[in-house]
Amino acid sequence: MKIKRQNIIVQQLQDYRFNSILVRSFVTILAVLLCTFLGIMLLVSKKMDSLIEKEVSTISNNSLRQTAEHMDTLMNEVMQISTQLSLDDDIMNFLLTDTSDSGINHKETLLAKNKLKQYSDIFEYIDSIYVYSSKSNYIVTEEGGGNVGSFDDLTWYENITERIYEPARMISRLKYNKYPYLITYILPVRLTQMQFLGGILVNVDVEKAGEFAPTEEDETLLIIDERNNIIFSSNDEYRMGKWNQLEFYDAYAGHKGNALTLDINGRSTVLLQIDSDNFGWSYASLVPLEKYRDYQRDLRDFMVTIVALIIILTMVLSVLIAIYSYEPVKNIISLVKNPASYSQVEASGFRKDEAQEIIQNIVHNFYSNSQLQQDLKDYLDITNKAQLIALQAQISPHFLYNTLENIRWRAIDICKGDNEVSQIILNLSQLLRISLDNERPIITLEEEVENTRLYIEILQLRYENKLLIEWQIEQELLACQIVKVSLQPLIENAVYHGIKPMRGKGFILIRAYRSGDQVILAVQDNGVGMSREECDILNRDMEEKYEQKEDHIGVRNVNQRLKLLLGDEAGIHIESEKGKGTVVLMTVPYRVME
């Protein structure tokens, strides 16, 4: 078996078709690519030694610039947070209130605590926020409050109490005398220029703020404050140290802003220091060159190995691809000579690739006439179905209006005049026409009242004397804007959820009056009402994102359309008491319809 397989390979190699354009082009292109690749790699490896130091300097500079921009942006956020807190009513009430005798459960303290917690929960880099009141000598944080004497973190206290007339400032300090440092932004708060109320202190955990730093392995990032304290270091060796006391400080002095290669701890290292554009600290990075040079050597060895493998694999694949490509070509030639042999070719295991598509195109030219007729019949069936769907789609709301009108006239003809059935059909047809008209979602209150009266007439024909409706609409409000079909769902809810379950006569009062820049429409019934808990749940649900539910669909739908079409100031509020009825208040902005 092995001898036979070897003979087949030798025969393929000797076949003239093996010297095809495919193989020759493949080998030629591969040779050109390999030569070009090898030449480029040789040039790059020679140039890399001279460029690596410059590249590391550029990377360090870009990394430090990104760090500086991000840190400056972060501290600008801290300044905005402090300013927002100084303008907050809850914080100002705490600063103005004497809470020294009230304890941490005082109302102003609790409100201020909750306000601080909102900010500390949002911004992960914030360690804590303090609000100090000089009036009561009291401190509140996101965790609670207490007198200054009972507070265990006071390294900031002298800075604010002894410099009360100075502007806002930033300081770096240790909390509980251990790393990490805190950057504290102190914002004095004054009622007047000379009346000091206290201060707002936002404490930034430098360790968390430095997590964003884009440092590579073995690279060290340092943040240095204006007193030369290293307030952040990605390397434990330099933490809580002094920048001006490091062994390489003197060698780098005078080169700030420029990269310099120094021998640090026996390693050739690129050192770069830049200043913050907005604050008093600076940033420094130390990048060892050894890692990049080792990487260069490893890359060169790796590329040599890859090139050798590519050459060997190319030689093997060139032979295999040529043999593999010739087999489908032979089958295609056989098929062109004898199209009837397609079934035998397919049965022999034809590969599903580009050759398969060529075969399918060839065979397509020999389809029988019966097959074409069958395809034509299928297309005609599809066309007939499409025409049927098109005819069905022509049934529009207009057809429905006309049908209802024909039914109404038939009812008049049978009963020899207008009757309750014809009146209901007439009102229903008009209501349907109004509801399906999407061109005017907003109409005047006068139009909405007239539309609602059509629905009420249908209700009163059904319930006869059990339902009494009273209108109290101010005349000047009839021209104001309102969402179409907004009153009818409220009346429907009043009837079916309030009046229908009760015994006795139902009463609905519909009022419209103006309150400032708003118009209030109240639908009040004397139905069974609902409990306060049910009413509160419904009101809370309507304040949240709209969700379709089984109960109170009409009220929710109206509330959502009001907000979408008239703004968030529009909406619905429900007041109800068990056994005494319900009042639905619909609020819309006062806008006269043009």
Side-chain angles (χ1 to χ4, degrees):
M1 180 66 69
K2 185 179 294 185
I3 297 175
K4 184 177 181 180
R5 184 179 301 172
Q6 291 177 351
N7 291 334
I8 294 175
I9 295 176
V10 172
Q11 181 181 355
Q12 294 286 356
L13 290 173
Q14 293 176 347
D15 197 302
Y16 73 94
R17 294 182 180 85
F18 184 76
N19 296 318
S20 64
I21 297 176
L22 171 66
V23 177
R24 287 187 277 109
S25 300
F26 178 79
V27 173
T28 303
I29 293 173
L30 183 61
V32 172
L33 290 177
L34 280 176
C35 293
T36 304
F37 181 73
L38 288 173
I40 292 175
M41 286 305 304
L42 290 175
L43 292 175
V44 169
S45 62
K46 290 181 179 180
K47 294 290 184 181
M48 190 175 291
D49 286 333
S50 60
L51 295 177
I52 189 169
E53 186 172 337
K54 182 179 179 181
E55 184 68 18
V56 172
S57 301
T58 303
I59 293 174
S60 299
N61 185 65
N62 293 337
S63 176
L64 279 185
R65 293 295 176 189
Q66 292 178 13
T67 301
E69 290 176 3
H70 192 96
M71 196 70 178
D72 289 355
T73 300
L74 183 146
M75 299 313 298
N76 284 326
E77 285 183 358
V78 170
M79 296 169 64
Q80 293 176 6
I81 292 171
S82 302
T83 303
Q84 292 173 2
L85 287 173
S86 68
L87 300 175
D88 188 89
D89 293 338
D90 293 336
I91 301 299
M92 188 58 69
N93 289 337
F94 168 79
L95 293 173
L96 293 172
T97 303
D98 188 354
T99 60
S100 58
D101 297 328
S102 304
I104 63 173
N105 292 322
H106 193 278
K107 176 183 176 182
E108 285 76 13
T109 304
L110 291 177
L111 290 174
K113 169 191 169 184
N114 293 333
K115 185 66 66 173
L116 298 182
K117 186 170 178 57
Q118 294 177 7
Y119 284 93
S120 62
D121 289 344
I122 294 174
F123 300 95
E124 294 182 357
Y125 59 82
I126 293 181
D127 176 83
S128 55
I129 305 176
Y130 302 159
V131 179
Y132 164 68
S133 172
S134 62
K135 182 177 180 64
S136 61
N137 207 29
Y138 205 75
I139 299 172
V140 65
T141 74
E142 70 275 11
E143 296 180 351
N147 192 277
V148 171
S150 62
F151 206 68
D152 55 357
D153 177 26
L154 293 174
T155 56
W156 51 269
Y157 182 71
E158 293 181 0
N159 193 292
I160 190 172
T161 55
E162 295 179 7
R163 302 166 63 187
I164 62 176
Y165 296 109
E166 294 187 15
R169 53 198 174 273
M170 287 189 182
I171 62 172
S172 62
R173 63 188 185 88
L174 288 173
K175 185 177 182 180
Y176 309 129
N177 291 320
K178 63 180 182 179
Y179 192 85
Y181 275 85
L182 296 179
I183 297 178
T184 299
Y185 179 72
I186 302 175
L187 178 65
V189 181
R190 302 179 180 87
L191 190 61
T192 63
Q193 185 65 26
M194 302 301 294
Q195 187 174 0
F196 178 71
L197 297 180
I200 296 172
L201 298 92
V202 180
N203 301 303
V204 176
D205 187 337
V206 184
E207 189 75 8
K208 292 182 179 179
E211 291 177 356
F212 68 88
T215 56
E216 299 288 341
E217 185 180 359
D218 292 339
E219 180 182 355
T220 300
L221 174 67
L222 306 174
I223 301 179
I224 305 136
D225 69 6
E226 54 193 356
R227 294 171 295 175
N228 283 313
N229 292 317
I230 299 177
I231 60 178
F232 171 78
S233 172
S234 59
N235 188 338
D236 297 342
E237 179 182 352
Y238 301 103
R239 288 180 178 174
M240 298 185 67
K242 285 281 189 179
W243 172 248
N244 57 355
Q245 295 178 3
L246 298 178
E247 60 180 5
F248 50 83
Y249 176 80
D250 292 335
Y252 185 73
H255 294 86
K256 182 182 289 188
N258 298 313
L260 184 65
T261 303
L262 299 174
D263 186 7
I264 300 177
N265 297 329
R267 304 172 70 183
S268 182
T269 305
V270 175
L271 172 60
L272 177 64
Q273 180 185 6
I274 62 173
D275 292 329
S276 170
D277 294 334
N278 302 314
F279 305 101
W281 53 68
S282 61
Y283 307 89
S285 69
L286 293 84
V287 183
L289 292 176
E290 180 181 355
K291 179 185 70 173
Y292 292 91
R293 285 172 179 164
D294 289 343
Y295 172 76
Q296 179 190 12
R297 287 191 293 270
D298 294 341
L299 178 62
R300 185 185 299 116
D301 295 340
F302 176 76
M303 293 306 301
V304 171
T305 304
I306 292 297
V307 168
L309 290 175
I310 289 175
I311 293 173
I312 295 173
L313 289 175
T314 301
M315 295 171 63
V316 174
L317 290 175
S318 297
V319 175
L320 295 179
I321 290 174
I323 296 173
Y324 186 78
S325 300
Y326 174 65
E327 187 66 25
V329 173
K330 182 175 68 174
N331 290 331
I332 291 173
I333 295 173
S334 174
L335 178 64
V336 170
K337 294 179 179 179
N338 184 14
S341 65
Y342 176 70
S343 58
Q344 287 78 14
V345 174
E346 186 178 35
S348 65
F350 214 101
R351 297 198 303 268
K352 294 186 179 298
D353 51 13
E354 293 84 352
Q356 177 70 18
E357 186 172 352
I358 294 173
I359 289 177
Q360 290 176 349
N361 289 329
I362 295 173
V363 173
H364 181 72
N365 295 324
F366 299 95
Y367 275 168
S368 65
N369 190 41
S370 60
Q371 182 64 46
L372 293 176
Q373 291 178 351
Q374 182 62 41
D375 291 342
L376 180 59
K377 182 178 180 300
D378 292 341
Y379 294 148
L380 289 176
D381 290 342
I382 295 173
T383 304
N384 291 334
K385 291 178 181 179
Q387 290 177 346
L388 180 59
I389 293 172
L391 290 174
Q392 291 172 345
Q394 293 177 0
I395 301 178
S396 63
H398 182 70
F399 172 78
L400 186 57
Y401 307 147
N402 292 338
T403 302
L404 288 173
E405 188 67 14
N406 289 334
I407 295 173
R408 172 175 169 261
W409 283 109
R410 184 62 176 167
I412 293 174
D413 182 57
I414 293 174
C415 297
K416 307 303 182 183
D418 256 330
N419 54 81
E420 292 183 356
V421 175
S422 65
Q423 187 61 38
I424 291 175
I425 294 173
L426 177 61
N427 289 358
L428 177 60
S429 175
Q430 293 176 348
L431 280 175
L432 184 61
R433 185 183 298 272
I434 293 167
S435 300
L436 296 179
D437 181 11
N438 295 323
E439 295 182 358
R440 296 179 59 227
I442 298 177
I443 59 177
T444 64
L445 178 57
E446 183 177 10
E447 291 176 290
E448 179 63 16
V449 169
E450 291 302 318
N451 299 338
T452 306
R453 288 184 188 274
L454 295 173
Y455 174 73
I456 291 175
E457 288 178 8
I458 296 176
L459 286 178
Q460 289 178 329
L461 287 172
R462 176 180 177 183
Y463 291 99
E464 297 182 351
N465 296 326
K466 186 179 179 181
L467 181 62
L468 177 62
I469 307 291
E470 182 176 338
W471 296 82
Q472 293 182 6
I473 307 293
E474 296 181 7
Q475 188 69 24
E476 63 174 5
L477 302 180
L478 292 177
C480 75
Q481 293 181 353
I482 192 171
V483 176
K484 184 177 63 176
V485 193
S486 55
L487 272 178
Q488 179 268 328
L490 305 186
I491 296 172
E492 181 179 356
N493 268 19
V495 172
Y496 287 98
H497 295 285
I499 295 175
K500 187 176 180 180
M502 65 176 283
R503 295 181 178 179
K505 190 170 185 178
F507 174 74
I508 296 178
L509 174 62
I510 306 168
R511 295 184 297 141
Y513 55 91
R514 183 173 177 180
S515 176
D517 294 333
Q518 296 178 326
V519 176
I520 312 296
L521 289 96
V523 178
Q524 179 179 353
D525 65 70
N526 64 338
V528 295
M530 67 181 77
S531 64
R532 182 177 297 275
E533 291 76 12
E534 293 175 325
C535 189
D536 291 343
I537 290 174
L538 186 57
N539 284 325
R540 282 196 302 270
D541 286 347
M542 285 193 292
E543 292 177 359
E544 299 175 354
K545 184 177 179 180
Y546 177 72
E547 295 179 357
Q548 194 78 343
K549 298 183 179 180
E550 292 182 359
D551 298 331
H552 309 287
I553 292 176
V555 176
R556 293 175 182 275
N557 182 278
V558 173
N559 180 70
Q560 182 70 1
R561 288 190 292 119
L562 287 173
K563 292 184 178 298
L564 289 174
L565 294 174
L566 299 180
D568 289 337
E569 64 271 20
I572 289 179
H573 180 77
I574 299 176
E575 298 175 358
S576 184
E577 187 175 349
K578 199 74 173 180
K580 295 187 177 180
T582 301
V583 179
V584 180
L585 300 173
M586 179 168 58
T587 303
V588 299
Y590 179 75
R591 299 173 187 165
V592 177
M593 196 77 172
E594 295 182 1

